[in-house]
Amino acid sequence: MLLTIIGGLIFIGSQAWEWKNFIGGTYGSLLMKDGQIAQFVDASGHQVTLESFVHKSSEDERVNHTRSNGLWFVNNASAAATYTVNEVIESFKANPDISLRTEQINSETKQKTILSREAANQFLANAAGVVKGANLKINEYGKTLFADFFFFITGFHGFHVLSGIIINIIIFFNVIIGTYEKRGSYEMVEKVGLYWHFVDLVWVFVFTFFYLV
Amino acid sequence: MTQEHEHESHAGLIWRVFIFLSIITAIEVFLGITKPDALYLSKFLGTSPLNWIFLILTLVKAYGIAWYFMHLKQEKAGLRRAIVWTSVFLICYLATLVLIEGNFIGDVFSGRYTKWFYR
């Protein structure tokens, strides 16, 4: 029972860590006017971070929001990405080693398409923003719809696991103090076990369809 | 479920099922990380053999959980059938709907409705 509770906490912890990484972002990418996402790769085709090649220019005229001169109830949620579109475009043009990768998947190799220099310039001309991280509105890894699905499903599942852990803890202490012995029936342990394993059963399918396939 | 079953060596069975499920998960994770080309890039019945392996192993795991952890094994045959065959029907139904909708989205992405390049 104690092991189950610990295992549940480990699961929730890993999930929280994974969410933190996805929301914070890994590489950063470029958002097009029509919603496409373009990512940056080096000469060997591996994705590179924006930090590794983009230089900040001194002409960034964006101002951080402060509560004293704007909406008092809005924090500066670092809504402005670290780099502006122009900085990314200039740095891309200055770096011949960096290429642009689109979301279009080649069905033969199952790899995303890497663009030629001319096609990449066309992309840059249509760039609308710089993306770092993923949430329900925008997703540096690809389609926003997938981020919506992913966070929705894993979030609900994680919440159920959390309630499962709390119920398990209650049952654990109830068994120790002998509540069920006095009641003469361990039926409640059985029911909670059924709940816990149903949530487990759901995870088996979530894992397959969101992580493996 | 009856009281006699509770007093069989349950702990041993639970650990055996736990290890069995862990091994299957380890295989899935290993295949998911390495993605061997022979399984990943070839095609079998509409999708890659790798996806078929994942789907089948997932169903095996679901069976293990429902049968042993959720004690379906000790239920009466009638209830068992009611649960299993309803699920089988619903899974087939859902898979059909998802395949139809997924095909539609696949067509949109591969056809003339999606513009991948700017000119």
Side-chain angles (χ1 to χ4, degrees), chain A residues 135-160:
Chain A
N135 51 47
L136 296 182
K137 287 181 190 159
I138 205 158
N139 176 10
E140 73 155 82
Y141 305 100
K143 295 267 178 274
T144 308
L145 193 58
F146 184 77
D148 292 349
F149 270 139
F150 178 83
F151 285 121
F152 171 71
I153 296 289
T154 56
F156 267 98
H157 180 264
F159 186 69
H160 279 94

PDB file of all heavy atoms in Angstrom, chain A residues 135-160:
ATOM      1  N   ASN A 135       1.677  25.560 -24.957  1.00  0.00           N
ATOM      2  CA  ASN A 135       0.517  25.656 -24.061  1.00  0.00           C
ATOM      3  C   ASN A 135      -0.725  25.453 -24.898  1.00  0.00           C
ATOM      4  O   ASN A 135      -0.648  24.920 -26.008  1.00  0.00           O
ATOM      5  CB  ASN A 135       0.519  27.002 -23.327  1.00  0.00           C
ATOM      6  CG  ASN A 135       0.676  28.169 -24.260  1.00  0.00           C
ATOM      7  OD1 ASN A 135      -0.002  28.226 -25.283  1.00  0.00           O
ATOM      8  ND2 ASN A 135       1.578  29.080 -23.926  1.00  0.00           N
ATOM      9  N   LEU A 136      -1.879  25.873 -24.400  1.00  0.00           N
ATOM     10  CA  LEU A 136      -3.106  25.584 -25.135  1.00  0.00           C
ATOM     11  C   LEU A 136      -3.287  26.503 -26.340  1.00  0.00           C
ATOM     12  O   LEU A 136      -4.127  26.255 -27.194  1.00  0.00           O
ATOM     13  CB  LEU A 136      -4.317  25.710 -24.203  1.00  0.00           C
ATOM     14  CG  LEU A 136      -4.348  24.701 -23.057  1.00  0.00           C
ATOM     15  CD1 LEU A 136      -5.593  24.885 -22.234  1.00  0.00           C
ATOM     16  CD2 LEU A 136      -4.273  23.274 -23.574  1.00  0.00           C
ATOM     17  N   LYS A 137      -2.503  27.589 -26.413  1.00  0.00           N
ATOM     18  CA  LYS A 137      -2.690  28.532 -27.511  1.00  0.00           C
ATOM     19  C   LYS A 137      -1.641  28.375 -28.589  1.00  0.00           C
ATOM     20  O   LYS A 137      -1.872  28.696 -29.752  1.00  0.00           O
ATOM     21  CB  LYS A 137      -2.623  29.960 -26.975  1.00  0.00           C
ATOM     22  CG  LYS A 137      -3.828  30.360 -26.188  1.00  0.00           C
ATOM     23  CD  LYS A 137      -3.664  31.792 -25.732  1.00  0.00           C
ATOM     24  CE  LYS A 137      -4.739  32.155 -24.731  1.00  0.00           C
ATOM     25  NZ  LYS A 137      -4.327  33.310 -23.927  1.00  0.00           N
ATOM     26  N   ILE A 138      -0.453  27.942 -28.214  1.00  0.00           N
ATOM     27  CA  ILE A 138       0.640  27.923 -29.177  1.00  0.00           C
ATOM     28  C   ILE A 138       1.582  26.783 -28.795  1.00  0.00           C
ATOM     29  O   ILE A 138       1.637  26.383 -27.639  1.00  0.00           O
ATOM     30  CB  ILE A 138       1.355  29.296 -29.164  1.00  0.00           C
ATOM     31  CG1 ILE A 138       2.036  29.551 -30.494  1.00  0.00           C
ATOM     32  CG2 ILE A 138       2.310  29.421 -28.010  1.00  0.00           C
ATOM     33  CD1 ILE A 138       2.274  31.002 -30.713  1.00  0.00           C
ATOM     34  N   ASN A 139       2.287  26.218 -29.790  1.00  0.00           N
ATOM     35  CA  ASN A 139       3.069  25.015 -29.533  1.00  0.00           C
ATOM     36  C   ASN A 139       4.314  25.041 -30.397  1.00  0.00           C
ATOM     37  O   ASN A 139       4.212  24.971 -31.618  1.00  0.00           O
ATOM     38  CB  ASN A 139       2.192  23.800 -29.857  1.00  0.00           C
ATOM     39  CG  ASN A 139       2.936  22.501 -29.721  1.00  0.00           C
ATOM     40  OD1 ASN A 139       4.063  22.467 -29.215  1.00  0.00           O
ATOM     41  ND2 ASN A 139       2.322  21.423 -30.161  1.00  0.00           N
ATOM     42  N   GLU A 140       5.491  25.147 -29.777  1.00  0.00           N
ATOM     43  CA  GLU A 140       6.714  25.231 -30.581  1.00  0.00           C
ATOM     44  C   GLU A 140       7.019  23.906 -31.262  1.00  0.00           C
ATOM     45  O   GLU A 140       7.797  23.865 -32.200  1.00  0.00           O
ATOM     46  CB  GLU A 140       7.908  25.641 -29.714  1.00  0.00           C
ATOM     47  CG  GLU A 140       8.391  24.540 -28.782  1.00  0.00           C
ATOM     48  CD  GLU A 140       9.857  24.680 -28.396  1.00  0.00           C
ATOM     49  OE1 GLU A 140      10.128  25.449 -27.481  1.00  0.00           O
ATOM     50  OE2 GLU A 140      10.717  24.038 -29.040  1.00  0.00           O
ATOM     51  N   TYR A 141       6.427  22.785 -30.812  1.00  0.00           N
ATOM     52  CA  TYR A 141       6.756  21.476 -31.366  1.00  0.00           C
ATOM     53  C   TYR A 141       5.916  21.122 -32.586  1.00  0.00           C
ATOM     54  O   TYR A 141       6.193  20.140 -33.265  1.00  0.00           O
ATOM     55  CB  TYR A 141       6.574  20.402 -30.300  1.00  0.00           C
ATOM     56  CG  TYR A 141       7.347  20.682 -29.042  1.00  0.00           C
ATOM     57  CD1 TYR A 141       6.724  21.223 -27.929  1.00  0.00           C
ATOM     58  CD2 TYR A 141       8.710  20.446 -28.989  1.00  0.00           C
ATOM     59  CE1 TYR A 141       7.448  21.499 -26.780  1.00  0.00           C
ATOM     60  CE2 TYR A 141       9.435  20.725 -27.852  1.00  0.00           C
ATOM     61  CZ  TYR A 141       8.794  21.250 -26.744  1.00  0.00           C
ATOM     62  OH  TYR A 141       9.514  21.540 -25.613  1.00  0.00           O
ATOM     63  N   GLY A 142       4.825  21.881 -32.842  1.00  0.00           N
ATOM     64  CA  GLY A 142       3.996  21.539 -33.999  1.00  0.00           C
ATOM     65  C   GLY A 142       2.600  22.104 -33.851  1.00  0.00           C
ATOM     66  O   GLY A 142       2.420  23.229 -33.411  1.00  0.00           O
ATOM     67  N   LYS A 143       1.621  21.270 -34.187  1.00  0.00           N
ATOM     68  CA  LYS A 143       0.235  21.738 -34.194  1.00  0.00           C
ATOM     69  C   LYS A 143      -0.254  22.066 -32.778  1.00  0.00           C
ATOM     70  O   LYS A 143      -0.068  21.288 -31.844  1.00  0.00           O
ATOM     71  CB  LYS A 143      -0.653  20.649 -34.789  1.00  0.00           C
ATOM     72  CG  LYS A 143      -0.361  20.379 -36.249  1.00  0.00           C
ATOM     73  CD  LYS A 143      -1.239  21.204 -37.155  1.00  0.00           C
ATOM     74  CE  LYS A 143      -0.921  20.987 -38.610  1.00  0.00           C
ATOM     75  NZ  LYS A 143       0.171  21.869 -39.082  1.00  0.00           N
ATOM     76  N   THR A 144      -0.925  23.214 -32.671  1.00  0.00           N
ATOM     77  CA  THR A 144      -1.510  23.609 -31.387  1.00  0.00           C
ATOM     78  C   THR A 144      -2.551  22.590 -30.943  1.00  0.00           C
ATOM     79  O   THR A 144      -2.693  22.315 -29.760  1.00  0.00           O
ATOM     80  CB  THR A 144      -2.169  24.986 -31.530  1.00  0.00           C
ATOM     81  OG1 THR A 144      -1.226  25.876 -32.094  1.00  0.00           O
ATOM     82  CG2 THR A 144      -2.614  25.511 -30.188  1.00  0.00           C
ATOM     83  N   LEU A 145      -3.268  22.017 -31.919  1.00  0.00           N
ATOM     84  CA  LEU A 145      -4.309  21.048 -31.583  1.00  0.00           C
ATOM     85  C   LEU A 145      -3.738  19.866 -30.816  1.00  0.00           C
ATOM     86  O   LEU A 145      -4.354  19.359 -29.883  1.00  0.00           O
ATOM     87  CB  LEU A 145      -4.986  20.569 -32.874  1.00  0.00           C
ATOM     88  CG  LEU A 145      -6.278  19.804 -32.687  1.00  0.00           C
ATOM     89  CD1 LEU A 145      -7.282  20.629 -31.934  1.00  0.00           C
ATOM     90  CD2 LEU A 145      -6.841  19.400 -34.036  1.00  0.00           C
ATOM     91  N   PHE A 146      -2.525  19.442 -31.185  1.00  0.00           N
ATOM     92  CA  PHE A 146      -1.932  18.320 -30.458  1.00  0.00           C
ATOM     93  C   PHE A 146      -1.601  18.718 -29.033  1.00  0.00           C
ATOM     94  O   PHE A 146      -1.817  17.938 -28.097  1.00  0.00           O
ATOM     95  CB  PHE A 146      -0.689  17.781 -31.159  1.00  0.00           C
ATOM     96  CG  PHE A 146      -0.135  16.566 -30.463  1.00  0.00           C
ATOM     97  CD1 PHE A 146      -0.731  15.336 -30.612  1.00  0.00           C
ATOM     98  CD2 PHE A 146       0.941  16.669 -29.594  1.00  0.00           C
ATOM     99  CE1 PHE A 146      -0.271  14.228 -29.926  1.00  0.00           C
ATOM    100  CE2 PHE A 146       1.411  15.563 -28.907  1.00  0.00           C
ATOM    101  CZ  PHE A 146       0.807  14.342 -29.081  1.00  0.00           C
ATOM    102  N   ALA A 147      -1.083  19.945 -28.856  1.00  0.00           N
ATOM    103  CA  ALA A 147      -0.795  20.411 -27.497  1.00  0.00           C
ATOM    104  C   ALA A 147      -2.075  20.445 -26.686  1.00  0.00           C
ATOM    105  O   ALA A 147      -2.093  20.038 -25.516  1.00  0.00           O
ATOM    106  CB  ALA A 147      -0.144  21.793 -27.548  1.00  0.00           C
ATOM    107  N   ASP A 148      -3.171  20.906 -27.305  1.00  0.00           N
ATOM    108  CA  ASP A 148      -4.459  20.942 -26.601  1.00  0.00           C
ATOM    109  C   ASP A 148      -4.839  19.548 -26.113  1.00  0.00           C
ATOM    110  O   ASP A 148      -5.147  19.347 -24.949  1.00  0.00           O
ATOM    111  CB  ASP A 148      -5.561  21.463 -27.534  1.00  0.00           C
ATOM    112  CG  ASP A 148      -5.366  22.922 -27.881  1.00  0.00           C
ATOM    113  OD1 ASP A 148      -4.513  23.553 -27.230  1.00  0.00           O
ATOM    114  OD2 ASP A 148      -6.045  23.408 -28.788  1.00  0.00           O
ATOM    115  N   PHE A 149      -4.820  18.580 -27.045  1.00  0.00           N
ATOM    116  CA  PHE A 149      -5.153  17.203 -26.697  1.00  0.00           C
ATOM    117  C   PHE A 149      -4.253  16.696 -25.584  1.00  0.00           C
ATOM    118  O   PHE A 149      -4.701  16.116 -24.598  1.00  0.00           O
ATOM    119  CB  PHE A 149      -4.957  16.289 -27.915  1.00  0.00           C
ATOM    120  CG  PHE A 149      -6.179  16.158 -28.765  1.00  0.00           C
ATOM    121  CD1 PHE A 149      -6.085  16.169 -30.143  1.00  0.00           C
ATOM    122  CD2 PHE A 149      -7.422  15.993 -28.196  1.00  0.00           C
ATOM    123  CE1 PHE A 149      -7.196  16.043 -30.928  1.00  0.00           C
ATOM    124  CE2 PHE A 149      -8.542  15.860 -28.981  1.00  0.00           C
ATOM    125  CZ  PHE A 149      -8.421  15.886 -30.356  1.00  0.00           C
ATOM    126  N   PHE A 150      -2.950  16.907 -25.779  1.00  0.00           N
ATOM    127  CA  PHE A 150      -1.972  16.348 -24.849  1.00  0.00           C
ATOM    128  C   PHE A 150      -2.188  16.882 -23.440  1.00  0.00           C
ATOM    129  O   PHE A 150      -2.292  16.113 -22.484  1.00  0.00           O
ATOM    130  CB  PHE A 150      -0.555  16.677 -25.336  1.00  0.00           C
ATOM    131  CG  PHE A 150       0.510  16.191 -24.410  1.00  0.00           C
ATOM    132  CD1 PHE A 150       0.945  14.882 -24.479  1.00  0.00           C
ATOM    133  CD2 PHE A 150       1.054  17.018 -23.452  1.00  0.00           C
ATOM    134  CE1 PHE A 150       1.904  14.411 -23.607  1.00  0.00           C
ATOM    135  CE2 PHE A 150       2.016  16.560 -22.578  1.00  0.00           C
ATOM    136  CZ  PHE A 150       2.438  15.252 -22.653  1.00  0.00           C
ATOM    137  N   PHE A 151      -2.265  18.212 -23.305  1.00  0.00           N
ATOM    138  CA  PHE A 151      -2.401  18.785 -21.973  1.00  0.00           C
ATOM    139  C   PHE A 151      -3.757  18.449 -21.360  1.00  0.00           C
ATOM    140  O   PHE A 151      -3.868  18.214 -20.152  1.00  0.00           O
ATOM    141  CB  PHE A 151      -2.194  20.304 -22.025  1.00  0.00           C
ATOM    142  CG  PHE A 151      -0.754  20.687 -22.197  1.00  0.00           C
ATOM    143  CD1 PHE A 151      -0.347  21.446 -23.274  1.00  0.00           C
ATOM    144  CD2 PHE A 151       0.205  20.281 -21.285  1.00  0.00           C
ATOM    145  CE1 PHE A 151       0.985  21.787 -23.437  1.00  0.00           C
ATOM    146  CE2 PHE A 151       1.534  20.617 -21.440  1.00  0.00           C
ATOM    147  CZ  PHE A 151       1.915  21.370 -22.516  1.00  0.00           C
ATOM    148  N   PHE A 152      -4.793  18.412 -22.190  1.00  0.00           N
ATOM    149  CA  PHE A 152      -6.133  18.080 -21.711  1.00  0.00           C
ATOM    150  C   PHE A 152      -6.156  16.660 -21.137  1.00  0.00           C
ATOM    151  O   PHE A 152      -6.568  16.434 -19.996  1.00  0.00           O
ATOM    152  CB  PHE A 152      -7.114  18.234 -22.870  1.00  0.00           C
ATOM    153  CG  PHE A 152      -8.505  17.735 -22.592  1.00  0.00           C
ATOM    154  CD1 PHE A 152      -9.339  18.404 -21.728  1.00  0.00           C
ATOM    155  CD2 PHE A 152      -8.968  16.597 -23.220  1.00  0.00           C
ATOM    156  CE1 PHE A 152     -10.618  17.939 -21.485  1.00  0.00           C
ATOM    157  CE2 PHE A 152     -10.238  16.124 -22.980  1.00  0.00           C
ATOM    158  CZ  PHE A 152     -11.072  16.796 -22.107  1.00  0.00           C
ATOM    159  N   ILE A 153      -5.681  15.704 -21.922  1.00  0.00           N
ATOM    160  CA  ILE A 153      -5.765  14.304 -21.505  1.00  0.00           C
ATOM    161  C   ILE A 153      -4.830  14.018 -20.336  1.00  0.00           C
ATOM    162  O   ILE A 153      -5.243  13.458 -19.313  1.00  0.00           O
ATOM    163  CB  ILE A 153      -5.439  13.371 -22.698  1.00  0.00           C
ATOM    164  CG1 ILE A 153      -6.493  13.529 -23.795  1.00  0.00           C
ATOM    165  CG2 ILE A 153      -5.355  11.935 -22.239  1.00  0.00           C
ATOM    166  CD1 ILE A 153      -7.834  12.962 -23.462  1.00  0.00           C
ATOM    167  N   THR A 154      -3.547  14.413 -20.456  1.00  0.00           N
ATOM    168  CA  THR A 154      -2.626  14.095 -19.368  1.00  0.00           C
ATOM    169  C   THR A 154      -2.994  14.880 -18.119  1.00  0.00           C
ATOM    170  O   THR A 154      -2.807  14.396 -17.000  1.00  0.00           O
ATOM    171  CB  THR A 154      -1.171  14.387 -19.752  1.00  0.00           C
ATOM    172  OG1 THR A 154      -1.068  15.748 -20.159  1.00  0.00           O
ATOM    173  CG2 THR A 154      -0.680  13.476 -20.840  1.00  0.00           C
ATOM    174  N   GLY A 155      -3.542  16.088 -18.279  1.00  0.00           N
ATOM    175  CA  GLY A 155      -3.950  16.868 -17.123  1.00  0.00           C
ATOM    176  C   GLY A 155      -5.079  16.201 -16.363  1.00  0.00           C
ATOM    177  O   GLY A 155      -5.016  16.043 -15.146  1.00  0.00           O
ATOM    178  N   PHE A 156      -6.111  15.784 -17.087  1.00  0.00           N
ATOM    179  CA  PHE A 156      -7.222  15.110 -16.412  1.00  0.00           C
ATOM    180  C   PHE A 156      -6.763  13.806 -15.776  1.00  0.00           C
ATOM    181  O   PHE A 156      -7.139  13.482 -14.648  1.00  0.00           O
ATOM    182  CB  PHE A 156      -8.377  14.849 -17.386  1.00  0.00           C
ATOM    183  CG  PHE A 156      -9.396  15.940 -17.371  1.00  0.00           C
ATOM    184  CD1 PHE A 156      -9.377  16.940 -18.311  1.00  0.00           C
ATOM    185  CD2 PHE A 156     -10.367  15.974 -16.382  1.00  0.00           C
ATOM    186  CE1 PHE A 156     -10.290  17.967 -18.281  1.00  0.00           C
ATOM    187  CE2 PHE A 156     -11.290  16.994 -16.351  1.00  0.00           C
ATOM    188  CZ  PHE A 156     -11.252  17.998 -17.299  1.00  0.00           C
ATOM    189  N   HIS A 157      -5.929  13.065 -16.497  1.00  0.00           N
ATOM    190  CA  HIS A 157      -5.455  11.801 -15.934  1.00  0.00           C
ATOM    191  C   HIS A 157      -4.619  12.069 -14.685  1.00  0.00           C
ATOM    192  O   HIS A 157      -4.800  11.407 -13.660  1.00  0.00           O
ATOM    193  CB  HIS A 157      -4.645  11.028 -16.970  1.00  0.00           C
ATOM    194  CG  HIS A 157      -4.148   9.728 -16.446  1.00  0.00           C
ATOM    195  ND1 HIS A 157      -2.890   9.587 -15.919  1.00  0.00           N
ATOM    196  CD2 HIS A 157      -4.748   8.528 -16.308  1.00  0.00           C
ATOM    197  CE1 HIS A 157      -2.750   8.352 -15.496  1.00  0.00           C
ATOM    198  NE2 HIS A 157      -3.851   7.688 -15.721  1.00  0.00           N
ATOM    199  N   GLY A 158      -3.729  13.060 -14.752  1.00  0.00           N
ATOM    200  CA  GLY A 158      -2.898  13.372 -13.596  1.00  0.00           C
ATOM    201  C   GLY A 158      -3.743  13.782 -12.398  1.00  0.00           C
ATOM    202  O   GLY A 158      -3.459  13.395 -11.267  1.00  0.00           O
ATOM    203  N   PHE A 159      -4.817  14.534 -12.658  1.00  0.00           N
ATOM    204  CA  PHE A 159      -5.690  14.944 -11.560  1.00  0.00           C
ATOM    205  C   PHE A 159      -6.361  13.734 -10.909  1.00  0.00           C
ATOM    206  O   PHE A 159      -6.492  13.653  -9.692  1.00  0.00           O
ATOM    207  CB  PHE A 159      -6.735  15.939 -12.063  1.00  0.00           C
ATOM    208  CG  PHE A 159      -7.581  16.506 -10.963  1.00  0.00           C
ATOM    209  CD1 PHE A 159      -7.035  17.369 -10.038  1.00  0.00           C
ATOM    210  CD2 PHE A 159      -8.914  16.161 -10.848  1.00  0.00           C
ATOM    211  CE1 PHE A 159      -7.801  17.880  -9.008  1.00  0.00           C
ATOM    212  CE2 PHE A 159      -9.690  16.673  -9.826  1.00  0.00           C
ATOM    213  CZ  PHE A 159      -9.131  17.539  -8.900  1.00  0.00           C
ATOM    214  N   HIS A 160      -6.778  12.765 -11.757  1.00  0.00           N
ATOM    215  CA  HIS A 160      -7.381  11.552 -11.197  1.00  0.00           C
ATOM    216  C   HIS A 160      -6.361  10.757 -10.389  1.00  0.00           C
ATOM    217  O   HIS A 160      -6.712  10.163  -9.366  1.00  0.00           O
ATOM    218  CB  HIS A 160      -7.974  10.683 -12.308  1.00  0.00           C
ATOM    219  CG  HIS A 160      -9.314  11.146 -12.760  1.00  0.00           C
ATOM    220  ND1 HIS A 160      -9.485  11.984 -13.838  1.00  0.00           N
ATOM    221  CD2 HIS A 160     -10.544  10.914 -12.275  1.00  0.00           C
ATOM    222  CE1 HIS A 160     -10.774  12.238 -13.980  1.00  0.00           C
ATOM    223  NE2 HIS A 160     -11.443  11.610 -13.049  1.00  0.00           N
TER     224      HIS A 160
END
